[in-house]
Amino acid sequence: MSDSRVSRSHWDADAARYVTEHADYLDDFYWCPERLRESEAHLLGDVSGQRILELGAGTAPCSEWVAAHGGFAVAQDISAAMLRAGQGAGAHRVQSDAAELPFLSSVFDATFSSFGALPFVADLPQALREIKRVLKPGGRCVLASNHPMAWVFPDDPGPAGLLAQVPYFERAYEEFGEDNPTPPSDDPQVNASARTYAEYHHTVGDWVRAHALAGLQLEDVIEPEWVPGTPQWGQWSELRGSVFPGTAIFISRG
């Protein structure tokens, strides 16, 4: 299956569990598991009267926050089930592929993503070209994603998660059945049709080049620090957060 079909199937099936397990995270606009709030960080600036697109919105709590603060919010996600699971009616929900956005060019004042879409897109330059296309000239783009450094550590919140084990230049993680990351066949076509999950690693260089290729002017990279007392989420924990960053937030202009 294509990347978009794999992601859509996975997140459609996982929507109910995700909402139940992360209810405390879905009640505000958080940029990342470090719980950096937009109300404190102001990375989007004043959203009032602005037309703003969120990529990989999931249940769209961030877009709902934008709408509640006077913005015209469009929440895009690959999964219709995730979009339906969200609370609130302020954001306009659109199911689509983030690498092929169904919008006219130069229509949004800002675009953003809070850990959505981009980790599941293999062709990062294409996704950023689409962002650039739909942004108005000079429009703001804020993309929060897995920190490239975090890729080399296992998904374990304890001491085992502090030992670098995954090659930094390995760019894909795929599953072919429950808890089975091993391809079932030597035939790539068989493997593609058997995939149940796909996530991609973009190195620091990949991110910089993707911005340049898309024509987005990179202005800043924020690496949120873990604040003691922040709730653990999966592999994100105070132990790991005290040693290395889990999130990178790329800020650019169209």
Side-chain angles (χ1 to χ4, degrees):
M1 292 192 292
S2 67
D3 292 336
S4 59
R5 289 181 61 192
V6 170
S7 291
R8 184 168 66 247
S9 295
H10 171 81
W11 291 110
D12 279 350
D14 198 49
R17 180 208 63 82
Y18 181 88
V19 170
T20 300
E21 189 170 311
H22 301 300
D24 69 318
Y25 185 83
L26 302 176
D27 62 356
D28 203 343
F29 186 154
Y30 293 111
W31 281 105
C32 49
E34 290 87 352
R35 305 287 176 118
L36 178 66
R37 285 184 170 90
E38 172 58 12
S39 59
E40 299 168 351
H42 306 293
L43 300 185
L44 290 176
D46 184 2
V47 301
S48 180
Q50 301 291 294
R51 188 181 296 267
I52 298 178
L53 169 66
E54 179 182 8
L55 299 173
T59 60
C62 300
S63 286
E64 289 294 337
W65 185 96
V66 169
H69 287 77
F72 181 91
V74 178
Q76 176 276 336
D77 199 88
I78 193 70
S79 168
M82 288 289 283
L83 291 170
R84 285 196 299 266
Q87 301 296 315
H92 302 267
R93 289 166 164 78
V94 176
Q95 189 273 325
S96 76
D97 187 339
E100 297 181 16
L101 296 174
F103 306 111
L104 297 175
S105 299
S106 303
V107 292
F108 292 101
D109 298 291
T111 60
F112 75 96
S113 184
S114 173
F115 265 76
L118 299 176
F120 309 99
V121 175
D123 191 345
L124 185 62
Q126 170 58 24
L128 267 59
R129 278 192 289 266
E130 278 292 271
I131 290 173
K132 163 69 173 177
R133 181 183 65 79
V134 301
L135 265 179
K136 294 178 181 178
R140 191 167 182 81
C141 176
V142 184
L143 306 175
S145 189
N146 303 293
H147 195 288
M149 181 179 177
W151 179 264
V152 304
F153 298 95
D155 287 345
D156 189 311
L162 300 179
L163 180 62
Q165 298 183 43
V166 181
Y168 180 74
F169 296 105
E170 181 179 291
R171 285 179 164 81
Y173 171 80
E174 298 173 315
E175 292 180 1
F176 299 88
E178 186 175 358
D179 299 324
N180 176 25
T182 304
S185 169
D186 292 331
D187 185 341
Q189 291 186 339
V190 173
N191 289 341
S193 64
R195 287 188 305 168
T196 58
Y197 182 83
E199 185 173 345
Y200 299 97
H201 168 52
H202 308 300
T203 68
V204 172
D206 292 339
W207 277 103
V208 172
R209 283 186 294 273
H211 277 83
L213 289 170
L216 291 167
Q217 182 177 349
L218 191 59
E219 296 183 341
D220 196 4
V221 179
I222 296 174
E223 299 162 300
E225 296 186 39
W226 191 276
V227 177
T230 299
Q232 179 178 312
W233 181 7
Q235 72 270 27
W236 281 278
S237 66
E238 185 170 342
L239 175 64
R240 284 164 53 102
S242 66
V243 177
F244 61 88
T247 299
I249 305 176
F250 300 87
I251 300 176
S252 63
R253 292 280 182 182

